[in-house]
Amino acid sequence: MDAAAFPEWTCSGCGSAETSVPSPHPVFRQAPVCAGCLRVYHLGEFTKIDGHEVYCRWCGNGGELLLCDRCPRALCVDCVDRNAGSQYAATAAETDDWACLACDAAPLGRRARSEGWRALLDGAKKARAQRQWAA
């Protein structure tokens, strides 16, 4: 399967429609990201202030951040909304004890199943392997 034949999918990092071969997110492995988001993610360290990261662990950008009460991760509201749903994001913003989608992966797992992310990432893995064998 070459990149041109890859089915359209939505990047979990930026929300763009893609037809390129996706990569698994470095932390949220069940979620697909585009090459551009993967590059942004790996630009540098995730700075911490007062024990929490100051950039979204999903997209690598700032914005309105939700701070995990179980680990140092922060996720922006846009990424939580895009990947766990607007109702979940609204509830997360209101709670005093929020676990990020790495500490409590259940909401992300539901999204992964509904979007078919596992099949998408399995197809990407096969496409990469085929490209390696062809080289």
Side-chain angles (χ1 to χ4, degrees):
M1 176 186 296
D2 64 8
F6 216 79
E8 187 172 303
W9 58 279
T10 302
C11 176
S12 68
C14 65
S16 68
E18 296 285 332
T19 55
S20 61
V21 177
S23 295
H25 188 278
V27 173
F28 308 100
R29 303 284 306 160
Q30 58 189 323
V33 292
C34 67
C37 284
L38 202 55
R39 275 192 300 279
V40 168
Y41 186 88
H42 289 296
L43 283 177
E45 296 293 319
F46 280 82
T47 304
K48 294 178 191 166
I49 295 177
D50 295 330
H52 278 96
E53 295 168 340
V54 297
Y55 297 105
C56 175
R57 181 49 82 159
W58 203 299
C59 67
N61 296 314
E64 182 183 347
L65 297 174
L66 299 171
L67 305 178
C68 183
D69 289 307
R70 299 182 185 162
C71 76
R73 289 184 190 91
L75 297 176
C76 71
V77 172
D78 290 341
C79 283
V80 173
D81 183 23
R82 182 172 32 260
N83 295 294
S86 56
Q87 185 175 7
Y88 177 84
T91 302
E94 299 292 320
T95 187
D96 290 334
D97 184 31
W98 180 67
C100 72
L101 296 170
C103 290
D104 178 11
L108 185 57
R110 287 190 291 275
R111 180 62 187 263
R113 284 188 297 281
S114 73
E115 295 291 324
W117 284 349
R118 179 179 210 139
L120 179 73
L121 290 171
D122 285 348
K125 188 175 181 179
K126 288 176 187 173
R128 281 190 190 85
Q130 288 174 350
R131 205 173 326 159
Q132 267 187 333
W133 281 101

